[in-house]
């Protein structure tokens, strides 16, 4: 009987130690550390729409990029992609933004770095630059 009791205590202690490990908190991933952002270009491309290109210095993931455009009291969420090869973040505005706000002054933001821009107009002729 003592061997069975000892075996049961060993099993219970192992289960208790394993459950203690599973309950330990996991380390949170480091937050984005963007040191410098420079607005390189604000333009309209026929295939993509309104585009804002930023030169970015720091450590971050694409999911951590938060871009927005504030124009005439309306905040518009930008979709941002990171091109690691040349450290460029390219953000696009939803369709119709250029049509509705072309020529207006706006505030474009990327992770808290703000820049005043003139909303680029949709180009009417295919050979215009």
């Amino acid at each position: 009987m003592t061997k069975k009791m000892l075996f049961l205590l060993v099993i219970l202690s192992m289960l208790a130690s394993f459950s203690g490990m599973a309950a330990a908190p996991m380390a949170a991933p480091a937050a984005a550390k963007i040191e410098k952002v420079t607005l390189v270009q604000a333009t309209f491309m026929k295939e993509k729409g309104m585009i804002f290109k930023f030169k970015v210095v720091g450590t971050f993931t694409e999911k951590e990029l938060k871009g927005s455009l504030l124009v005439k009291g309306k905040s518009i969420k930008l979709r941002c992609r990171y091109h690691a090869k040349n450290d460029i973040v390219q953000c696009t505005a939803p369709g119709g933004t250029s049509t509705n706000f072309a020529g207006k002054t706006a505030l474009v933001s990327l992770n808290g770095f703000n820049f005043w821009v003139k909303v680029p107009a949709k180009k009417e002729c295919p050979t215009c630059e």
Side-chain angles (χ1 to χ4, degrees):
M1 180 83 171
T2 58
K3 286 185 181 182
K4 287 183 182 180
M5 186 66 115
L6 183 59
F7 180 72
L8 185 61
L9 285 174
V10 169
I11 296 296
L12 285 175
S13 65
M14 287 177 60
L15 286 174
S17 67
F18 289 140
S19 66
M21 280 188 245
M26 297 194 52
K33 292 185 180 181
I34 297 177
E35 300 165 14
K36 183 179 177 184
V37 175
T38 305
L39 179 65
V40 176
Q41 185 179 32
T43 189
F44 182 89
M45 287 182 72
K46 183 178 177 184
E47 309 83 33
K48 296 183 180 184
M50 189 179 345
I51 295 176
F52 300 96
K53 289 184 181 180
F54 302 91
K55 182 82 170 169
V56 181
V57 177
T59 55
F60 55 91
T61 64
E62 193 170 279
K63 288 182 178 181
E64 295 172 311
L65 295 172
K66 306 292 182 210
S68 66
L69 182 69
L70 181 64
V71 59
K72 293 189 82 174
K74 184 176 180 182
S75 181
I76 300 166
K77 185 177 177 181
L78 301 177
R79 183 174 165 221
C80 300
R81 297 281 182 220
Y82 178 56
H83 302 281
K85 187 166 59 172
N86 49 8
D87 291 331
I88 293 288
V89 172
Q90 181 173 307
C91 299
T92 55
T97 304
S98 185
T99 303
N100 296 330
F101 302 108
K104 305 291 182 203
T105 302
L107 183 71
V108 64
S109 299
L110 181 67
N111 285 54
F113 291 86
N114 302 314
F115 303 92
W116 288 103
V117 296
K118 184 176 178 183
V119 176
K122 183 176 180 178
K123 295 179 182 140
E124 297 301 324
C125 66
T127 58
C128 296
E129 293 229 6

